[in-house]
Amino acid sequence: MKTIDLSQHRLTSIHRQAFGNLGNSVESIYIHDNQLKTLREQVFLMLHNLKSLQLHSNPWNCDCRLKHFRDWVVEKGLYTYPTSCGEPERLADRLWQDVVPKDFACKPEITVPQSVVFSQPGANVT
């Protein structure tokens, strides 16, 4: 087995051990034209002979959760044109190769320990 074609199957996720027992037998994986928004490189780490990873035409969410995977894909030379971001809006339709790693960021999460916070107009709130 040299190629696995999972394209056009409406996949929304891939389990981290999906390819765990395939070792050196896989050279190409096609997962383009699905509904994948994020992935982790752990899914592919056991595939030591992987040379091609077709990822295009997925609605990738190019945020901090995808950053490590995207960086790994580029570092390993597995990036294939035209893989692009589907969201966030500021990165929509931009190719992975044209987005700098620092732009793969998540919005900060703000939590307020109390449901009501009082302050004076113009004063700082921590």
Side-chain angles (χ1 to χ4, degrees), residues 4-11 30-34 54:
I4 295 175
D5 188 348
L6 297 172
S7 61
Q8 302 176 357
H9 282 85
R10 298 183 181 166
L11 298 176
Y30 302 150
I31 53 174
H32 57 85
D33 292 295
N34 280 294
Q54 299 290 321

Side-chain angles (χ1 to χ4, degrees), residues 13-67:
S13 65
I14 299 175
H15 191 275
R16 62 184 173 90
Q17 294 178 341
F19 308 118
N21 293 328
L22 300 178
N24 297 328
S25 61
V26 177
E27 293 181 2
S28 300
I29 296 181
Y30 302 150
I31 53 174
H32 57 85
D33 292 295
N34 280 294
Q35 297 299 313
L36 297 166
K37 291 186 174 202
T38 192
L39 265 179
R40 303 188 120 204
E41 65 272 16
Q42 287 84 354
V43 173
F44 307 100
L45 289 180
M46 298 306 292
L47 303 174
H48 304 293
N49 287 333
L50 189 61
K51 295 178 177 95
S52 176
L53 188 56
Q54 299 290 321
L55 301 167
H56 60 280
S57 300
N58 281 290
W60 297 111
N61 185 1
C62 295
D63 66 4
C64 62
R65 291 174 290 273
L66 185 65
K67 181 190 180 309

Side-chain angles (χ1 to χ4, degrees), residues 37-39 60-70 85 87-88 90-91 96 99 101-107:
K37 291 186 174 202
T38 192
L39 265 179
W60 297 111
N61 185 1
C62 295
D63 66 4
C64 62
R65 291 174 290 273
L66 185 65
K67 181 190 180 309
H68 292 290
F69 177 67
R70 181 271 194 173
C85 301
E87 52 185 287
R90 65 186 173 79
L91 298 176
W96 282 14
V99 180
K102 71 178 179 77
D103 285 341
F104 281 76
C106 290
K107 292 179 182 179

Side-chain angles (χ1 to χ4, degrees), residues 66-116:
L66 185 65
K67 181 190 180 309
H68 292 290
F69 177 67
R70 181 271 194 173
D71 291 349
W72 178 82
V73 167
V74 171
E75 176 186 313
K76 293 291 185 185
L78 297 171
Y79 173 79
T80 52
Y81 177 87
T83 305
S84 61
C85 301
E87 52 185 287
E89 186 177 327
R90 65 186 173 79
L91 298 176
D93 299 322
R94 291 199 37 209
L95 297 174
W96 282 14
Q97 68 188 22
D98 297 335
V99 180
V100 294
K102 71 178 179 77
D103 285 341
F104 281 76
C106 290
K107 292 179 182 179
E109 292 184 23
I110 299 172
T111 57
V112 179
Q114 298 175 354
S115 60
V116 178

